[in-house]
Amino acid sequence: MKKNLKSSLKYGFLVFAMALFVTSCSSDDGSIFDTPLPDDQTGGDDDDNDNEPEVATIVFNEADPSMNVTSASASGQVGTTVAGRIIFTSDATTQRRMYITQNVSGQGDMPFNNFALNSDDLDKALKADGSIDLDGATKKEIDFTFELPVPDIDNGQIVYTFWTTKGKGDFRDITKRLALGAGTITVTVGSGTNPAAAVRTFSDIKLFAPAADGTTESFFSLLNEEVYRINEGPEFRAFWDFGYYFGASGVSDGEDASFASTATFDESFGFPVEGLKPGMDEEDMENETLNEAFFALSSLDAASFDGVALSGDLDSISTSSSQKITNLAVGDVIEFVDNYGKKGLIKITEIEAGFNNNDFIQFDVKIQP
């Protein structure tokens, strides 16, 4: 009798162990949606997970958009982090890059990648433009978790925006080569009320007369206040907003110090600059675009420029029809509207006149966030 009982126990344990093994193996091959979502997004009972930290989660499912969760929110304490998670599952589309922006207190979307990425599929590797390289991931099923920092603000919201692209995208244009997204995670600090939006101010920007081989810092980005050499490559082309030249081909009396949008620079300058236009071997070359910008001389003087403090102070600027402005002089104030509809002012502070590559223009900028 004892022998039969022992045999029955051994057999029952073996069946249980095999069932457990099969269950654990099958979960490895399942959809990423087998991973439970936070209770507030699935209708679960919070009492069962009181000890689990809340994770702000956004979900995009190309095959079944009814599963999408396009926004999530959380409360944050200054100096800490908030747990975030994104689950992007594509069907026909291949996801090659992930773009993330951070908007602190309504001061404008800025490129963001300053976090540790926790993923079984991918170590965080960045493309030159600051986007996350998905070449190491499955490209179809992406499930990332991370800790989002809470900047030092008294009250307001920090909005993180996430989307993936089929190729080289644009931090200021979500639609460019869009794969999936965009979704947002909003972190509220204090009352969550943003202060009045201030203008973004850049000072002492210096651009040099262009060299034909693209080796001079002749282009400026209103996104990150950086100056760029044209030959830095296609990764940065979406950053360039306008460039500087002195004089122009075919103009008998010259146009002296001039700005032109990236889209019209070669035409305005009259000399082709190597590296400005997309090359035949570049990714999706036929659909590549260059940024436009529209300029007009302002009636404001330098003192009025200095007095502009809030975004609303620039609302009255209208879009001109010209993508270049010439014969600039120290003290001039220029109105502009960029490719993305933001309005701003430029104040010329210094000009080293000439065509040589060490000749330059220096200026300050105020632009809406």
Side-chain angles (χ1 to χ4, degrees), residues 165-185:
T165 63
K166 295 173 281 188
K168 180 167 62 71
D170 185 342
F171 279 105
R172 291 178 286 183
D173 181 3
I174 291 172
T175 65
K176 189 170 185 178
R177 302 187 177 98
L178 177 66
L180 295 182
T184 59
I185 295 177

Side-chain angles (χ1 to χ4, degrees), residues 100-104 108-112 149 151 158-161:
I100 308 172
T101 60
Q102 179 197 59
N103 189 333
V104 180
D109 295 326
M110 298 298 295
F112 179 80
I158 303 99
V159 180
Y160 292 93
T161 304

Side-chain angles (χ1 to χ4, degrees), residues 21-32 34-35:
F21 176 78
V22 170
T23 301
S24 62
C25 288
S26 64
S27 64
D28 289 342
D29 297 328
S31 165
I32 57 172
D34 292 340
T35 306

Side-chain angles (χ1 to χ4, degrees), residues 326-346:
T326 62
N327 297 310
L328 299 174
V330 172
D332 282 350
V333 176
I334 302 158
E335 299 176 352
F336 70 87
V337 179
D338 74 5
N339 193 79
Y340 309 93
K342 294 184 178 181
K343 301 176 179 182
L345 296 171
I346 299 170

Side-chain angles (χ1 to χ4, degrees), residues 274-350:
E274 183 177 337
L276 180 60
K277 298 291 177 65
M280 294 298 295
D281 58 341
E282 289 184 23
E283 175 187 53
D284 198 20
M285 180 273 295
E286 64 275 11
N287 294 317
E288 186 65 282
T289 57
L290 301 176
N291 283 339
E292 296 182 327
F294 301 87
F295 304 96
L297 191 64
S298 176
S299 60
L300 298 179
D301 58 17
S304 298
F305 172 94
D306 294 339
V308 171
L310 299 178
S311 176
D313 296 337
L314 301 174
D315 284 344
S316 61
I317 293 175
S318 57
T319 305
S320 77
S321 60
S322 179
Q323 294 199 56
K324 72 174 181 178
I325 188 166
T326 62
N327 297 310
L328 299 174
V330 172
D332 282 350
V333 176
I334 302 158
E335 299 176 352
F336 70 87
V337 179
D338 74 5
N339 193 79
Y340 309 93
K342 294 184 178 181
K343 301 176 179 182
L345 296 171
I346 299 170
K347 180 180 71 174
I348 308 301
T349 58
E350 187 177 354

